[in-house]
Amino acid sequence: MKESLLDILRCPLDKHELELEDATYDESVDGDSDDGEDAAEVVDGTLVCSECGERYPIEDGIPNLLPPDMQEESPA
Amino acid sequence: MDLRDQRGIETEVYQPAEDSELLAEAACGYLDKHGRDGPEATILEVGTGSGYVANRVADETAARVIASDLNPHAVRQARSDGSEEGSGRGGAVETVRADLVSPFADDTFDAVLFNPPYLPTEPENEWDDWMEHALSGGEDGRAVIDPFLAAVGRVLAPDGVVYLLVSSLTGVDEVVERAGEEGFSAVAIADESFPFETLTVLELHY
């Protein structure tokens, strides 16, 4: 995910802002071009709710913002 | 040998069909017409599946396009570029694994697109895999549409619109009425008839 996506993502439970922790960036993406640092591509890390502390993983560059009770891989 | 093996394809992700094409075509046309296609515009496709519609919008407009889905296989495919093979170019669409619009900020999107699971399905016929989630709208076909209509207003920017695909199998009048209860006016902007259903794209706005 682009780091700038953080601007529009919120905790699905309480709609508070999320903070990025333990981020790993894709070195092949030049974060200094056009959009500045916002273009930086985050491939791994955790999004943490600034209010309730709930944690959401970034997996293969895709943030998983399902509520905790829906997080498991199974469709059921 | 199950169906997946016989077809030799990924069956965990709904692949683009006539409904996807109709929604993509109608939405791109109206986004252009109403000036919601510029680089300042932010557009969300909910339940993106293969990512076909989101990638079409990203290709045909200058807007920032976000695509979300419940299904992890779907968000991976949508991110690669919307095709099953993946062209490797990737990256035009930003993807999020999400339940409808729940993890997005208020007043964010100039347009929200949704081709929902809409087939009316008896509980005893639910088959419980990702494809069921992509297709089944519960007993009345509106099990996902109703909560979507209740929630989408929060994330729409002022003057934001919703492009919602509805089938005659689900009942266009019922969906329009439900949207009205949530404060939306609905206009049909495209439709197409098939042997077993008529598909309609509704534009919803406050």
Side-chain angles (χ1 to χ4, degrees):
Chain A
M1 59 170 268
K2 286 183 194 155
E3 195 158 359
S4 58
L5 191 59
L6 266 178
D7 296 343
I8 61 169
L9 292 181
R10 295 292 182 271
C11 174
L13 299 178
D14 58 23
K15 316 304 177 200
H16 281 271
E17 292 188 16
L18 299 164
E19 282 158 18
L20 178 60
E21 290 185 4
D22 310 322
T24 309
Y25 293 89
D26 181 350
E27 299 296 333
S28 69
V29 175
D30 182 3
D32 293 329
S33 64
D34 342 344
D35 303 331
E37 287 185 13
D38 278 356
E41 180 73 21
V42 182
V43 290
D44 205 4
T46 306
L47 297 170
V48 184
C49 178
S50 56
E51 180 71 15
C52 70
E54 193 62 55
R55 302 173 70 83
Y56 303 93
I58 299 168
E59 298 155 343
D60 301 329
I62 301 172
N64 181 346
L65 284 161
L66 292 178
D69 62 344
M70 296 174 74
Q71 286 276 355
E72 67 282 1
E73 187 88 356
S74 142
Chain B
M1 178 182 264
D2 68 12
L3 186 65
R4 187 172 315 182
D5 296 326
Q6 287 174 33
R7 295 174 70 191
I9 56 164
E10 171 82 71
T11 56
E12 287 179 302
V13 179
Y14 181 75
Q15 297 304 315
E18 290 82 357
D19 48 358
S20 323
E21 184 61 36
L22 188 67
L23 179 61
E25 196 66 35
C28 286
Y30 273 74
L31 288 166
D32 175 35
K33 196 168 145 186
H34 296 297
R36 295 189 179 94
D37 59 343
E40 325 71 32
T42 306
I43 295 170
L44 172 68
E45 190 196 7
V46 173
T48 192
S50 68
Y52 173 79
V53 174
N55 278 279
R56 274 280 301 275
V57 174
D59 283 348
E60 294 183 24
T61 73
R64 178 184 193 187
V65 182
I66 319 288
S68 75
D69 204 292
L70 201 62
N71 177 346
H73 310 287
V75 284
R76 278 197 289 272
Q77 187 177 333
R79 187 167 187 257
S80 70
D81 74 346
S83 72
E84 277 184 90
E85 306 78 29
S87 68
R89 72 189 162 86
V93 169
E94 297 177 68
T95 48
V96 181
R97 194 172 170 207
D99 180 29
L100 298 174
V101 300
S102 65
F104 298 105
D106 295 3
D107 307 326
T108 298
F109 300 106
D110 299 286
V112 176
L113 280 55
F114 192 21
N115 177 6
Y118 63 69
L119 291 179
T121 311
E122 295 298 327
E124 58 269 32
N125 293 339
E126 298 267 340
W127 60 99
D128 196 31
D129 62 11
W130 286 118
M131 197 52 74
E132 184 227 301
H133 277 254
L135 297 174
S136 171
E139 285 190 75
D140 62 6
R142 298 192 299 279
V144 183
I145 296 173
D146 287 351
F148 169 78
L149 290 172
V152 69
R154 182 183 64 80
V155 301
L156 278 184
D159 295 328
V161 293
V162 175
Y163 295 107
L164 178 67
L165 185 125
V166 184
S167 164
S168 53
L169 296 174
T170 309
V172 176
D173 291 346
E174 287 82 350
V175 172
V176 168
E177 189 180 329
R178 188 78 186 81
E181 288 166 14
E182 300 293 345
F184 289 105
S185 304
V187 183
I189 58 166
D191 52 56
E192 193 168 355
S193 291
F194 298 93
F196 299 103
E197 62 181 333
T198 297
L199 302 176
T200 300
V201 178
L202 295 177
E203 182 181 76
L204 308 179
H205 55 89
Y206 281 119

